[in-house]
Amino acid sequence: MTKTLDNYTRSLREAAIAHHLPPFTDHKSLEADGGPRIIEKADGCYLWDTEGKRYLDGMAGLWCVNVGYGRERLAEVAHKQMLELPYYNTFFKTATPASVMLSEAIAGLLPDHLNQLHFVNSGSEANDTIVRLVRHYFNLVGKPDKKVFLSRHNAYHGSTMISASLGGMAGMHAQGDLPLPGIEHIMQPYWYGDGGDMSPEEFGLKAARALEERILELGADKVAAFIGEPVQGAGGVIIPPETYWPEINRICKEHGVLLVADEVICGFGRTGNWFGLQTLGIEADIVPMAKGLSSGYLPIGAVAISDSIAETLKTQGGEFAHGMTYSGHPVACAVALENINIMKEEGLVDRVRDTMADRLNEGLATLNDLPIVGETRSLGLLGAIELVADKATRTKFDPLGKAGGLCRDHCFEQGLVMRACGDTMVLSPPFVITHQQIDELVAMVRAAIEQTARDMGM
Ligand SMILES: *Cc1c(COP(=O)(O)O)cnc(C)c1O
């Protein structure tokens, strides 16, 4: 960053380096860059930094600002709720109108057997909660040895000790001495990367049967639950083959293993239905959710549980000794409820499915002529572009991540926010994105990929 900065931006960057230790950041390289890019305001699908540069937000923040930025109704609801009741807890047999109404609204969007909601403040807390809840549940039903959680390599389930353990991110595991005991990982259904000569359908079955093999190895009496994102997000928008989830349903049922669908990204419309489990046909017992629940306007998460688990907790559970001060925070609940109202009134879920999904898919497919684009794929408004050294053999660049990092930087230069997961460029735009903005986005990605190919000597 060689250009001269205005004083405001410079002072913020210096203060950031001095005091602000941010998450998922290489702090040394941030300092070498002269501090962070500072995003100051947003409207619709666009962001502006302190230097006045505009960006099309291809990521909806971090997969969350589904209704887009600048929603006055959400600000008004928060304002009103803060004046009326800024805080009260939901412990010890109390509730607030907002927390009750939100639980009812979410239950109305879920499949019929999921009716009880437990509120938390993030996706990570939702996933910590499910481990507490499932262990408690199997104690109650007299199976105290049934405790192991199975998950997948390259899954993302959050960043607390338990949720990072449930996740399958090697780098996170290495830094945290994770996973904690009682959590094991199987292969992911990543056909493009791992499918070799198999058809997607064959490979989907193979990846699902890795779950059955591990259950049989450990003993079904030891395995409590399997957790998976309907579509892996942070792992690189990995859309499983169609055979995958039906086979996972069968395996979980047959072996008495609870199925957890982590809907933190897919929930609230991202795949073209209210939940990813509806799009992919997942028969889940437990559903953690966050991000799109409030479109990121305030922090909130939730866990939905099946009627049969709820029945056990209610009839035999006693006090569930778990909760956070801000569980069911009335302002976050009121905003989440209004967010759902907006999505319903504007038909945003139908918009994703019926008008935007194909447009994104076709737009991304136009990039396939570029020599370093190995595959493009999308489901609803979740998309990915695989950058590879050799298309024909699907050979990745070495070191992995360099091309992705360069491409992400070129996207920023173009005025587009995209994220790189290794060398997979991922997209998750707000649902209010227009056809014209998708065309704009694809043109900017094309220019960024062409520049990346030149940088990589291709
Ligand atoms: C983001 C994410 C989480 C963690 O949510 P936080 O609110 O960041 O704690 C969990 N699961 C999935 C699938 C996610 O994408």
Side-chain angles (χ1 to χ4, degrees), residues 245-265:
W245 280 112
E247 186 67 358
I248 294 279
N249 289 337
R250 176 194 68 77
I251 292 165
C252 287
K253 253 191 202 87
E254 235 170 86
H255 298 282
V257 167
L258 295 173
L259 178 47
V260 183
D262 182 342
E263 294 271 4
V264 172
I265 287 178

Side-chain angles (χ1 to χ4, degrees), residues 62-63 121-125 127 156-159 163 229 231 233-234 262-266 290-291 300:
L62 280 176
W63 328 79
N121 307 294
S122 68
S124 298
E125 286 180 11
N127 284 327
Y156 190 80
H157 297 299
S159 197
S163 61
E229 303 150 83
V231 174
D262 182 342
E263 294 271 4
V264 172
I265 287 178
C266 293
K291 296 192 170 111
I300 183 168

Side-chain angles (χ1 to χ4, degrees), residues 269-273 343 346-363 378-382 429-439:
R270 182 57 59 191
T271 66
N273 286 290
M343 302 240 308
E346 297 184 7
L348 290 180
V349 180
D350 293 345
R351 174 186 171 81
V352 170
R353 185 181 54 238
D354 301 335
T355 34
M356 302 316 297
D358 285 351
R359 185 68 169 226
L360 179 66
N361 196 273
E362 288 157 16
S378 68
L379 181 67
L381 279 178
L382 265 181
F431 300 168
V432 292
I433 195 167
T434 62
H435 284 181
Q436 194 196 330
Q437 285 167 329
I438 286 194
D439 295 346

